[in-house]
């Protein structure tokens, strides 16, 4: 299953980010804690350069606690500031502010020497689509100033937003890269909803997710759907889930589209379990 999705506005976004970077003091790079490798856009490294940056492992409540710990230790060894965050609940935001103040301390002191007191920290939020940028902004600002949605591509243009903690944020649209060299990257992004379902073969995608879960997290499938997967094909597992969930058409045929949507939705919401799909040694 070959997945590539690079809408034209993402090229414009990249160019806009490059122009806006000189206006900010620090970059918040959001990645998905479930897929830290696949959700870290390699283009961002080239764009950001040596600008102070914090890696934010968002949706950490959907990933395994052990996975979150391993990834934070990995970034620490690489001398990269990182935090685990639950943007929906706001857990981790205080730590994000503390790190931001520390990383911009020298610059703020330089402004104070020139008589500029209490200048806000200006941060740019970067990340792939549907990684939680707008949700983080809403948590920081304490209002519904940024439109959110469980679909990629909600933010269409750059926008400045004032938040608590003397912080100003520059929100940017999600940016993907033109080609996924590793097919697993495309699949992981599709599993977590970073790529629009409308352009995907949902049934094949759900079958691929079942394959991944059956091989690495069989207990989660067993427990969630009350089925025994040992010795069964991935298609058989899907059909068993369909029967359990009443995804049956007239004549007893399996409704593959309906069961596929259920499986993908429950994975994305963490209902199947708290799952980290990627680790540093991969």
């Amino acid at each position: 299953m070959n997945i590539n999705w690079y809408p034209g506005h993402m090229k414009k976004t990249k160019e806009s980010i490059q122009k806006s970077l000189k206006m900010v003091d620090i970059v918040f790079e959001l990645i998905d804690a479930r897929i830290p490798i696949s959700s870290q856009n390699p283009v961002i490294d080239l764009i950001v350069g040596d600008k102070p940056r914090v890696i934010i492992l968002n949706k950490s409540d959907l990933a395994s606690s052990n996975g979150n710990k391993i990834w934070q230790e990995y970034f620490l060894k690489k001398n990269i500031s990182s935090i685990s965050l639950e943007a929906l609940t706001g857990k981790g935001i205080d730590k994000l502010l503390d790190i931001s103040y520390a990383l911009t301390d020298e610059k703020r002191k330089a402004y104070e020497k020139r008589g500029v007191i209490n200048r806000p920290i200006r941060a740019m939020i970067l990340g792939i689509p549907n990684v939680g940028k707008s949700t983080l902004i809403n948590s920081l600002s304490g209002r519904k100033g940024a439109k959110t949605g469980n679909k990629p591509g909600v933010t269409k243009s750059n926008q400045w937003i004032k938040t608590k903690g003397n912080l100003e944020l520059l929100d940017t649209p999600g940016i993907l890269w033109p080609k996924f060299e590793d097919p697993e990257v495309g699949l992981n992004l599709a599993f977590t909803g970073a790529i629009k379902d409308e352009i995907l073969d949902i049934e094949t995608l759900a079958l691929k997710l079942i394959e991944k879960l059956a091989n690495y997290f069989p207990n989660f499938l067993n427990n969630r759907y009350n089925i025994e997967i040992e010795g069964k094909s991935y298609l058989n597992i899907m059909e068993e889930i369909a029967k359990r969930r009443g995804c049956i058409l007239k004549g007893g045929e399996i409704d593959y589209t309906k069961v596929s949507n259920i499986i993908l939705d429950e994975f994305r919401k963490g209902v199947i379990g708290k799952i980290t799909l990627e680790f540093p040694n991969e």
Side-chain angles (χ1 to χ4, degrees):
M1 188 176 183
N2 190 21
I3 299 172
N4 277 293
W5 185 57
Y6 192 64
H9 77 82
M10 289 191 182
K11 182 177 183 294
K12 294 178 182 178
T13 297
K14 179 184 172 185
E15 294 168 353
S16 176
I17 288 170
Q18 288 171 321
K19 290 179 182 177
S20 301
L21 198 62
K22 60 179 177 284
M23 296 188 292
V24 303
D25 308 311
I26 190 170
V27 169
F28 295 160
E29 182 184 356
L30 267 73
I31 60 177
D32 191 317
R34 297 166 295 181
I35 52 166
I37 298 170
S38 296
S39 62
Q40 190 168 35
N41 189 334
V43 173
I44 289 177
D45 273 340
L46 300 175
I47 294 173
V48 172
D50 58 359
K51 182 75 69 173
R53 173 169 40 164
V54 181
I55 299 288
I56 301 172
L57 290 153
N58 197 28
K59 305 187 181 183
S60 59
D61 52 321
L62 302 178
S64 69
S65 56
N66 184 54
N68 292 332
K69 181 181 177 182
I70 288 171
W71 275 106
Q72 285 201 269
E73 289 173 350
Y74 167 79
F75 286 120
L76 182 63
K77 288 177 182 176
K78 302 274 281 187
N79 200 30
I80 299 172
S81 297
S82 71
I83 65 162
S84 290
L85 184 76
E86 298 175 20
L88 275 174
T89 66
K91 185 178 180 181
I93 283 180
D94 287 344
K95 186 175 181 182
L96 173 61
L97 292 173
D98 290 343
I99 292 174
S100 300
Y101 297 145
L103 290 176
T104 59
D105 182 62
E106 189 175 318
K107 189 167 188 177
R108 286 185 292 109
K109 286 179 178 176
Y111 272 106
E112 287 173 4
K113 284 182 180 179
R114 301 206 306 263
V116 181
I117 308 299
N118 280 335
R119 176 187 176 273
I121 298 172
R122 290 176 179 155
M124 177 186 288
I125 295 186
L126 296 178
I128 64 169
N130 202 31
V131 78
K133 297 184 298 297
S134 296
T135 304
L136 172 59
I137 288 170
N138 289 341
S139 294
L140 280 165
S141 63
R143 61 184 175 87
K144 299 299 180 183
K147 186 178 180 182
T148 65
N150 193 29
K151 289 186 177 181
V154 169
T155 304
K156 297 297 184 184
S157 61
N158 294 352
Q159 52 181 321
W160 282 101
I161 297 154
K162 289 185 177 180
T163 74
K164 63 183 179 181
N166 203 25
L167 181 70
E168 290 183 355
L169 296 176
L170 179 60
D171 188 20
T172 60
I175 177 172
L176 286 175
W177 50 109
K179 185 179 180 181
F180 307 135
E181 299 295 339
D182 184 349
E184 283 294 309
V185 170
L187 281 173
N188 287 334
L189 291 170
F191 290 155
T192 54
I195 298 174
K196 288 184 176 179
D197 286 340
E198 290 85 348
I199 70 162
L200 301 171
D201 177 347
I202 290 297
E203 289 85 354
T204 302
L205 182 63
L207 200 60
K208 286 286 186 181
L209 178 57
I210 287 172
E211 178 182 346
K212 173 83 76 172
L213 297 177
N215 286 327
Y216 297 101
F217 309 97
N219 289 339
F220 285 113
L221 280 178
N222 287 336
N223 296 336
R224 176 60 189 167
Y225 299 109
N226 195 26
I227 58 174
E228 180 54 59
I229 68 171
E230 189 174 348
K232 293 177 182 173
S233 70
Y234 307 127
L235 183 59
N236 287 155
I237 295 171
M238 177 183 277
E239 291 170 344
E240 284 289 321
I241 295 172
K243 292 172 185 175
R244 292 281 183 183
R245 291 307 177 88
C247 302
I248 308 296
L249 298 168
K250 288 182 179 179
E253 294 292 320
I254 298 291
D255 189 338
Y256 291 101
T257 300
K258 184 177 180 181
V259 71
S260 296
N261 280 312
I262 287 173
I263 293 165
L264 288 168
D265 184 61
E266 292 194 346
F267 171 76
R268 290 167 184 171
K269 290 178 177 175
V271 177
I272 293 176
K274 297 182 183 297
I275 296 171
T276 300
L277 292 177
E278 297 178 323
F279 290 90
N281 60 359
E282 297 169 5

